[in-house]
């Protein structure tokens, strides 16, 4: 390689090592590769040389030119890279993406739904905003019934409308529109003007159940609820019926399950009774069938309701209903992956 070219290369390599900014890099580029630059000057010399020198000189200058170009490009990239990282303290721990979790109420509704679905129940949803007719009248609930009181129910400004206090109105809506036999469950949100405490909240969830056919019996009701309780809460879980009153069933019962905390021996949670109350059930009242357009002489049915929060509190051993609604990540993250 001709000596002057070698010197230019050496000098260039020294200078580019000292470059720290893009501005310095740009002026070095102009100095060497610009129109009046050193390397450009050497290139211009080629045609003036005697033919014998031209080839080797030309090759050397051209490889110098591409070397300079490459070193400039590499330098540019390293400057840009160091600029990117100057504002970042790479010794800080990284920020992790936060993985959310489902509310246990949604999870348990899915589980309940799955159990009934596998027993042949279809899932039907009803509206949260109901009419007084579906929420009370069609369910044989008279004017003087306490749950119709303005103290107990959220009425809307629009006359005749309210936030449903139970999922039972979906029974009527289904009987009005579906062909028989009917075997359905209806999960959803309900609302009551309850004073808030560890077991009461202004909104909560229920799952309603309804089976209408020609020969439906109360024994079938008990069978289905027993299978359900065993599958949701474990094989040893039992069910018992206690006589009760609901306007839309006759006879009516409240049903309990064996306390899952003490296994039925008696503890603080079950108030030493060994049983935990779930909700109500019964044989659909003939008047309710009639109102819904079904002949009570030909068809009968059972119905049941269940409090979802109550079941979730039992299953996951949660002591306060408000946990479900506070959106506290410390609570919710315990249910990740369920
Ligand atoms: N809807 C009732 C309540 O909220 C629960 C209930 C009782 C539902 C008896 C039923 C039933 O379907 O047959 O208290």
């Amino acid at each position: 390689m001709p000596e002057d070219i070698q010197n230019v290369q050496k000098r260039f390599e020294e200078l580019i090592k000292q470059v720290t900014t893009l501005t310095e890099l740009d002026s070095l580029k102009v100095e060497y590769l610009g129109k009046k630059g050193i390397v450009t000057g050497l290139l211009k010399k080629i045609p003036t040389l005697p033919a014998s020198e031209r080839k080797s000189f030309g090759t050397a200058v051209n490889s110098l030119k591409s070397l300079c170009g490459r070193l400039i490009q590499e330098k540019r990239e390293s400057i840009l890279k160091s600029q990117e990282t100057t504002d970042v303290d790479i010794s800080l721990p990284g920020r992790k993406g936060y993985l959310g979790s489902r509310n246990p109420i949604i999870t348990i509704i899915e589980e309940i739904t799955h159990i009934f679905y596998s027993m042949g129940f279809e899932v039907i949803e009803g509206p949260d905003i109901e009419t007084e007719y579906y929420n009370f009248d069609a369910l044989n609930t008279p004017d003087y019934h306490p749950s119709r009181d303005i103290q107990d129910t959220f009425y809307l400004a629009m006359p005749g409308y309210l936030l449903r206090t139970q999922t039972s109105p979906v029974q009527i809506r289904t009987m009005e529109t579906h062909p028989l036999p009917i075997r359905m469950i209806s999960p959803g949100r309900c609302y009551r003007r309850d004073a808030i405490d560890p077991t009461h909240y202004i909104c909560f969830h229920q799952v309603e159940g309804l089976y209408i056919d020609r020969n439906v019996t109360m024994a079938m009701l008990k069978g289905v609820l027993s299978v359900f309780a065993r599958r949701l809460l474990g094989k040893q879980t039992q069910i018992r019926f206690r006589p009760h009153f609901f306007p839309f069933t006759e006879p009516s019962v409240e049903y309990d399950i064996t306390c899952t905390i003490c296994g039925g021996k008696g503890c603080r949670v079950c108030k030493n009774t060994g049983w935990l109350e779930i909700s109500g059930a019964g044989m659909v009242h003939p008047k309710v069938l009639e109102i819904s357009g079904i002949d009570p002489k030909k068809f009968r049915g059972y119905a049941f309701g269940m409090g979802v929060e109550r079941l979730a509190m039992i299953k996951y051993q949660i002591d306060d209903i408000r946990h479900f609604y506070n959106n506290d990540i410390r609570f919710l993250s315990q249910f990740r992956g369920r």
Side-chain angles (χ1 to χ4, degrees), residues 165-166 168 171 192 206 208-209 246 248-249 279-282 303-305:
T165 61
Q166 49 189 353
S168 304
Q171 288 187 32
R192 289 184 196 172
Q206 286 186 340
E208 193 76 15
F246 291 103
F248 40 91
T249 40
S279 186
F304 58 85

Side-chain angles (χ1 to χ4, degrees), residues 218 221 241-255 279-285 303:
M218 201 132 176
L221 168 64
F241 282 179
R242 276 180 293 109
H244 198 74
F245 172 79
F246 291 103
F248 40 91
T249 40
E250 181 58 39
S252 304
V253 296
E254 275 192 327
Y255 62 96
S279 186
M283 300 305 288
V284 180
H285 198 295

Side-chain angles (χ1 to χ4, degrees), residues 91-110:
S91 67
L92 285 174
R95 252 178 247 158
K96 270 195 200 159
Y98 184 77
L99 195 60
S101 51
R102 304 167 90 195
N103 192 295
I105 293 298
I106 302 299
T107 308
I108 202 166
I109 285 179
E110 222 177 70

